[in-house]
Amino acid sequence: MTRRPALHIPGITEIPPSASGMRIGLFGGSFNPMHEGHLLVMEETLRRLQLDALWVLVTPGNPLKDNKALPPLENRVQAARQAIRNPRIRVTGFEAARGFAYSWQTVDFLTTALPDRRFVWIMGADSLADFHRWQRWRDIAARLPIAVYVRPGAARRALASRAATTLDYAQIDEADAAVLADCAPPAWIYLQGRQSTLSSSAIRASRNLD
């Protein structure tokens, strides 16, 4: 199994507290940096999926991207925490402490270690478009429900993607968003709603021009 070296940082790499029966969204990413678009997805999914909490999983590095210029994990976690005001949203870099390199490892661990929580994986439509490139993506879909939130310009590519067509039979109606956390996987939903045109890559590019 591919793993990174474990990285333990007090106050940064602990798993957030939770209780049996909680409905918890998992929203992973590099968050370099966290921006308004991320916050919008978090608030909308918290409300529409009727979640008790949302965990922002700040990854040590995306396996599909070049991470050479990625700021340290601690910096990104702290910056994300400063951007968030909702007490139900918790930011953690716990994947680094476990040496996880891929999302399926995170999903496998959490659903095994905390089987009485009702986890939902949250991603943007741009991520759904590339979901089939994720290592063991079918295993992720088989372990917990997935909520996909619309992203500007990504809808057509996302809904025509390999993952979306493969899992077409498991898609539930948008009107049933409140019951997604109770659905046995595979189950996924595509959520339309408010959108932001901001992206982390565009923000980084604008900073480089300053």
Side-chain angles (χ1 to χ4, degrees):
M1 179 187 296
T2 302
R3 286 184 180 271
R4 293 187 171 97
L7 176 65
H8 297 272
I9 307 173
I12 298 295
T13 54
E14 293 84 6
I15 296 175
S18 62
S20 178
M22 283 183 66
R23 304 155 64 94
I24 302 171
L26 304 174
F27 187 37
S30 300
F31 301 105
N32 179 32
M34 172 81 69
H35 58 71
E36 179 186 323
H38 295 134
L39 299 174
L40 187 154
V41 172
M42 294 178 210
E43 294 291 348
E44 286 293 296
T45 52
L46 260 176
R47 178 179 63 84
R48 294 172 65 179
L49 302 178
Q50 296 186 14
L51 301 174
D52 298 306
L54 189 147
W55 295 355
V56 178
L57 309 178
V58 182
T59 178
N62 187 330
L64 297 177
K65 295 181 179 179
D66 183 353
N67 299 301
K68 292 178 182 176
L70 192 64
L73 176 70
E74 184 174 5
N75 294 11
R76 288 178 287 124
V77 169
Q78 295 288 20
R81 288 175 177 171
Q82 291 172 10
I84 293 169
R85 297 290 177 264
N86 191 323
R88 289 192 293 154
I89 302 176
R90 306 294 294 268
V91 183
T92 175
F94 98 91
E95 291 170 304
R98 299 279 169 175
F100 294 157
Y102 299 99
S103 295
W104 70 263
Q105 295 169 316
T106 302
V107 170
D108 182 67
F109 171 78
L110 289 175
T111 55
T112 300
L114 300 170
D116 54 356
R117 276 61 161 176
R118 286 176 282 178
F119 291 110
V120 176
W121 190 262
I122 296 168
M123 68 170 71
D126 49 339
S127 293
L128 177 63
D130 294 322
F131 191 36
H132 64 280
R133 298 177 59 206
W134 294 23
Q135 189 175 95
R136 293 176 59 170
W137 64 274
R138 288 181 175 86
D139 290 345
I140 297 174
R143 294 299 292 267
L144 78 180
I146 296 172
V148 180
Y149 196 86
V150 64
R151 285 281 294 155
R156 181 174 297 178
R157 192 166 67 95
L159 294 175
S161 68
R162 179 178 170 187
T165 54
T166 300
L167 297 170
D168 178 69
Y169 71 96
Q171 184 176 4
I172 71 170
D173 192 273
E174 187 175 5
D176 296 323
V179 303
L180 179 66
D182 300 314
C183 292
W188 67 285
I189 194 167
Y190 189 86
L191 297 173
Q192 304 278 357
R194 295 185 298 134
Q195 300 179 52
S196 169
T197 58
L198 287 177
S199 72
S200 295
S201 57
I203 292 172
R204 293 195 303 273
S206 67
R207 289 175 177 175
N208 291 334
L209 292 174
D210 292 341

